[in-house]
Amino acid sequence: HPDLAAKYIGGWDFPDNDNSPQPNSWDGHGTACAGIAAARTNNGLGIAGVAWNCLIIPIRIAYSTGPGQGWITTDQWLSDAIAWAYQHGAGVLSNSWGGGPPSPQIHQSIRDAVLLGRAGRGSVVVFAAGNDNNPSPSYPALYPETICVGATSPCDERKNPGSCDGENWGSNYGAGLDVMAPGVQIPTTDIQGSGGYDPSDYTMTFNGTSAATPHVAGLAALVMSKFSNYTQAEIRGRIE
């Protein structure tokens, strides 16, 4: 993608076990999240991400067998992906995924990232709260080591089924939620050509706590760029 290609460094595909984390043509989720966090600016194209000068380490953690078929993954892939990210230099881990029961294996990888990443200063781990309109975020966002992100509507309220945008879904909320960010009709990058969410190279309507999360990850990257000696706890505290 012209707004992302120059930003990729490294990367790994856990479903395919290779160093080319290429999505299927219908799996535009990661491309959309990456654009919000760090799409290029000053190139006369598309959008600018929150942290437009930062780099992206793409890691593929799941796949689907076709449009609308749901995601297939394992706790092993997920925990290994978190470990791979901080061990290969990721200062911020942006995780627009979640759901299901708690996993001690995934939790341990998160704890290791915030303790051991960035040569002991700790990587910042950001997770989506979930889109179930529940009074509790989903796991892994609910783990205390993460920054748990909910979604707001265009009217600066918690996104809920009755919010001003008219879309029938709601951000999870309640104890364990740390911050909120825009999560409705967000313009961002899309897989080039006919792939992804839209026939163009961009989509204007990316939604969910998945969209809110990379806003906060980009902000963490900006704070880290300005204050490189901050620990992850100091960066998190400044954001919260």
Side-chain angles (χ1 to χ4, degrees):
H1 196 288
D3 263 347
L4 298 173
K7 297 178 144 293
Y8 289 134
I9 54 172
W12 194 261
D13 185 327
F14 280 90
D16 290 343
N17 195 33
D18 61 35
N19 64 358
S20 179
Q22 180 72 25
N24 292 317
S25 64
W26 56 85
D27 287 340
H29 191 262
T31 303
C33 292
I36 294 170
R40 289 179 62 193
T41 189
N42 295 331
N43 63 350
L45 296 173
I47 67 159
V50 177
W52 55 86
N53 281 330
C54 288
L55 300 174
I56 299 166
I57 301 175
I59 301 178
R60 188 167 180 244
I61 59 170
Y63 70 95
S64 63
T65 57
Q69 296 301 304
W71 299 100
I72 299 169
T73 189
T74 69
D75 282 4
Q76 189 68 56
W77 291 348
L78 297 171
S79 61
D80 286 351
I82 292 167
W84 198 99
Y86 83 80
Q87 289 169 0
H88 287 79
V92 182
L93 281 62
S94 187
N95 297 275
S96 289
W97 57 272
S103 164
Q105 184 176 9
I106 294 171
H107 192 190
Q108 184 60 56
S109 288
I110 293 170
R111 283 195 295 254
D112 289 344
V114 301
L115 180 66
L116 304 175
R118 299 172 58 236
R121 293 188 298 277
S123 296
V124 178
V125 181
V126 188
F127 262 95
N131 307 323
D132 307 306
N133 202 41
N134 284 339
S136 177
S138 59
Y139 285 101
L142 197 53
Y143 290 128
E145 294 85 0
T146 76
I147 299 179
C148 175
V149 184
T152 58
S153 80
C155 295
D156 200 26
E157 60 192 333
R158 179 181 71 86
K159 176 65 190 94
N160 64 81
S163 58
C164 68
D165 50 84
E167 296 186 358
N168 188 29
W169 64 276
S171 169
N172 292 351
Y173 58 100
L177 189 70
D178 295 307
V179 297
M180 303 189 82
V184 179
Q185 300 175 13
I186 306 299
T188 187
T189 47
D190 193 34
I191 293 176
Q192 286 188 278
S194 61
Y197 299 105
D198 192 272
S200 76
D201 296 347
Y202 300 89
T203 179
M204 298 293 106
T205 57
F206 190 54
N207 281 1
T209 55
S210 284
T213 297
H215 280 94
V216 178
L219 177 57
L222 288 181
V223 176
M224 189 176 294
S225 298
K226 177 71 173 176
F227 304 103
S228 60
N229 289 326
Y230 272 20
T231 66
Q232 67 83 25
E234 289 172 316
I235 294 168
R236 173 178 180 159
R238 194 176 184 99
I239 291 172
E240 293 183 1

